[in-house]
């Protein structure tokens, strides 16, 4: 069996669902269920004996140690994190606690467990740490995409905390020999994406008749990766990745934010047109930019393609169509995640923007 942390969040829950579509191997899913964790994402696994859900913190080394001793997983995949840049600007404390201190305690518990394994299990064990392209900082327009050897230059409290966790993971390999794998991926999108992030926020706001807030000039570039392609990449790294190595994962889809919003509007115009016959584009408003906003991210995914044989299956056009359709068909999920906390966040993040 494997231990997954943060498996009730956006990428983690997609990973767990995809895992069981390919395998019957049990997953112990450790998640704190912060605002971003949602057991409804895993509703189809209710009463499924392959899925053991435990509510808890990766920073609780005693709990993690107990779970490891009891279930004896052959691998751990760490998705658990505070993940939203805007929230890290309003309050970095939780990012330091979970992404840095939490990862440290998780690593300590895993190291103690791993030391106690018999030789064969020890060499087969893997700790896979899921990280982000944001640790590399911001690219100029004509610079080459981020490769695995790019210097770390994180610019937000979020990316700085992820960078710190990557360094800890690296050090546990170098110093203790823990068989770690690190993946740095670009912006994911797809089902179960919490509607505080660009793509789901735009879909949800558009349908609710609300404004579509584009930060600054909307010309910031992100490299978009369909979440199920990311899940396949993680499975591939877990199986074939070389301990100690880093793999960058991207979708080869560099797009400016404004183009993303236009694409979402065009799809909604086609699939669920406005009652007044106008385009959802009418709802776009340009608002005050994010402080320290990174201008461009782009991933050079040639290493994982060349060495491990992974490639994304979706183009942005196919992936975004599936995503918009999913949100149209799952409006109950959207309503359920828009709790009181969600509304308070929207008020806090957008009220101060001109
Ligand atoms: P998310 O915010 O949707 O989910 C995070 C999950 O972790 C939630 O279920 C939450 O409850 C859980 N969690 C938070 N703190 C925890 C703690 N202390 N202990 C246990 N569980 C805790 O995030 P996501 O978008 O699914 O991202 C998953 C991972 O991928 C993160 O490490 C993130 O940095 C990384 N990543 C995400 C993206 C993206 O586009 N979403 C891109 C690159 C990298
Ligand atoms: P986001 O989804 O928060 O991901 P990240 O900051 O990790 O890349 O934002 C994606 C891009 O969209 C980023 O450049 C900020 C921008 N953005 C907006 O323009 N408006 C919004 O309301 C949000 C949430 C993001």
């Amino acid at each position: 069996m494997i231990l997954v942390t943060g498996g009730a969040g956006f990428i983690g829950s997609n990973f767990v669902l995809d895992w069981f579509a390919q395998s019957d191997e049990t997953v112990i899913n450790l998640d704190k269920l912060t605002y971003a964790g949602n057991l409804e994402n895993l509703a189809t696994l209710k009463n499924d004996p392959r899925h053991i859900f435990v509510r808890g913190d990766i920073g609780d080394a005693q709990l993690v140690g107990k779970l490891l001793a009891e279930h004896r997983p052959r691998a751990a995949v760490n998705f658990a994190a505070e993940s939203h840049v805007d929230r890290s600007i309003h309050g970095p404390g939780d990012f330091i606690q979970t992404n840095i201190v939490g990862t440290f305690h998780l690593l300590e518990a895993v190291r103690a467990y791993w030391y106690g394994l018999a030789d064969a299990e020890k060499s087969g064990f893997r700790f896979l740490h899921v990280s982000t392209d944001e640790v590399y900082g911001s690219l100029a327009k004509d610079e080459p995409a981020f490769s695995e050897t790019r210097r770390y230059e994180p610019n937000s409290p979020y990316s700085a905390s992820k960078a710190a966790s990557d360094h800890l993971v690296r050090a546990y390999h170098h110093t203790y020999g823990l068989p770690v794998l690190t993946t740095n991926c670009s912006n994911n999108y797809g089902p179960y994406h919490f509607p505080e992030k660009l793509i789901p926020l735009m879909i949800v706001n558009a349908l609710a008749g609300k404004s579509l807030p584009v930060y600054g000039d909307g010309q910031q570039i992100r490299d978009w990766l369909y979440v199920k392609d990311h899940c396949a990449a993680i499975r591939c790294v877990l199986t074939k990745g070389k301990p100690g190595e880093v793999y960058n994962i991207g979708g080869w889809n560099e797009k400016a934010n404004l183009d993303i919003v236009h694409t979402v509007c065009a799809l909604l115009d086609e699939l669920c047109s406005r009652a007044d016959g106008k385009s959802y584009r009418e709802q776009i408003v340009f608002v005050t930019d994010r402080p320290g906003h990174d201008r461009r991210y782009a991933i050079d995914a040639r290493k994982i393609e060349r060495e491990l044989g992974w490639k994304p299956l979706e183009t942005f056009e196919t992936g975004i169509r599936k995503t918009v359709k999913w949100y149209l068909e799952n409006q109950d999920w959207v309503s359920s995640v828009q709790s009181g906390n969600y509304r308070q966040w929207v008020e806090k993040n957008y009220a101060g923007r001109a």
Side-chain angles (χ1 to χ4, degrees):
M1 66 170 69
I2 64 163
L3 171 69
V4 167
T5 66
F10 163 47
I11 305 174
S13 61
N14 274 286
F15 179 82
V16 170
L17 293 171
D18 268 23
W19 182 266
F20 291 129
Q22 331 273 332
S23 152
D24 285 331
E25 190 176 6
T26 301
V27 171
I28 315 144
N29 185 351
L30 173 67
D31 194 297
K32 191 177 171 183
L33 295 183
T34 67
Y35 77 94
N38 195 336
L39 281 180
E40 286 198 31
N41 302 6
L42 302 164
T44 54
L45 298 177
K46 212 172 168 200
N47 303 322
D48 189 326
R50 297 173 303 174
H51 181 233
I52 302 169
F53 182 81
V54 179
R55 186 174 191 177
D57 195 320
I58 55 164
D60 183 345
Q62 216 182 342
L63 170 66
V64 180
K66 194 173 134 273
L67 290 175
L68 291 168
E70 194 178 323
H71 298 289
R72 306 189 63 76
R74 66 171 177 93
V77 184
N78 181 30
F79 293 96
E82 290 292 337
S83 69
H84 188 28
V85 175
D86 291 318
R87 285 187 191 251
S88 82
I89 294 167
H90 286 284
D94 287 347
F95 290 72
I96 305 306
Q97 280 314 316
T98 283
N99 300 0
I100 306 179
V101 182
T103 304
F104 160 68
H105 287 300
L106 176 64
L107 280 165
E108 278 292 271
V110 168
R111 178 167 76 95
Y113 165 70
W114 177 74
Y115 267 148
L117 292 176
D119 284 351
E121 290 172 312
K122 209 170 180 176
S123 60
F125 186 82
R126 297 288 181 268
F127 179 88
L128 192 155
H129 178 62
V130 178
S131 191
T132 169
D133 57 2
E134 304 195 22
V135 297
Y136 300 119
S138 186
L139 284 167
K141 212 173 176 179
D142 302 324
E143 265 186 288
F146 299 131
S147 73
E148 289 79 0
T149 53
R150 172 92 185 188
R151 193 168 89 173
Y152 271 38
E153 283 181 319
N155 290 320
S156 70
Y158 163 66
S159 54
S161 66
K162 290 296 291 187
S165 68
D166 293 7
H167 291 322
L168 282 170
V169 170
R170 178 190 153 86
Y172 272 63
H173 177 69
H174 206 76
T175 305
Y176 305 114
L178 189 70
V180 306
L181 299 155
T182 301
T183 56
N184 293 80
C185 71
S186 57
N187 283 58
N188 284 222
Y189 68 102
Y192 303 111
H193 204 182
F194 194 74
E196 63 180 355
K197 306 278 171 73
L198 179 73
I199 289 178
L201 183 93
M202 294 298 155
I203 301 171
V204 167
N205 276 16
L207 293 172
K210 294 184 179 159
S211 60
L212 308 180
V214 173
Y215 296 168
D217 61 4
Q219 292 309 312
Q220 303 81 8
I221 290 170
R222 299 289 181 266
D223 171 1
W224 294 92
L225 172 66
Y226 190 63
V227 66
K228 288 182 191 304
D229 278 331
H230 184 200
C231 295
I234 292 173
R235 286 198 306 275
C236 175
V237 173
L238 197 55
T239 315
K240 299 195 227 164
K242 194 168 156 238
E245 291 290 316
V246 174
Y247 297 92
N248 282 359
I249 308 170
W252 302 107
N253 288 309
E254 279 189 63
K255 307 269 178 209
N257 291 341
L258 190 57
D259 293 334
I260 297 286
V261 179
H262 285 162
T263 303
V264 167
C265 290
L267 280 165
L268 288 173
D269 289 341
E270 177 196 324
L271 299 169
C272 183
S273 57
R274 267 174 44 157
D276 63 5
K278 291 184 179 165
S279 170
Y280 286 98
R281 275 193 189 211
E282 302 264 326
Q283 291 164 231
I284 295 174
V285 289
F286 290 88
V287 300
T288 310
D289 209 349
R290 170 188 282 173
H293 200 170
D294 285 338
R295 198 68 185 164
R296 177 176 163 237
Y297 304 138
I299 280 276
D300 177 345
R302 282 177 298 177
K303 177 176 172 182
I304 184 173
E305 294 187 359
R306 187 179 60 243
E307 294 185 9
L308 308 186
W310 170 86
K311 261 191 196 314
L313 296 179
E314 301 289 344
T315 62
F316 186 71
E317 289 64 33
T318 58
I320 192 70
R321 181 172 283 274
K322 283 184 183 174
T323 304
V324 170
K325 278 191 170 163
W326 187 87
Y327 278 86
L328 288 172
E329 287 160 11
N330 289 276
Q331 295 192 36
D332 288 351
W333 179 87
V334 173
S335 310
S336 81
V337 301
Q338 289 174 315
S339 65
N341 282 345
Y342 175 79
R343 284 193 289 277
Q344 279 161 24
W345 162 251
V346 169
E347 180 60 28
K348 189 173 184 180
N349 192 38
Y350 296 97
R353 292 178 193 270

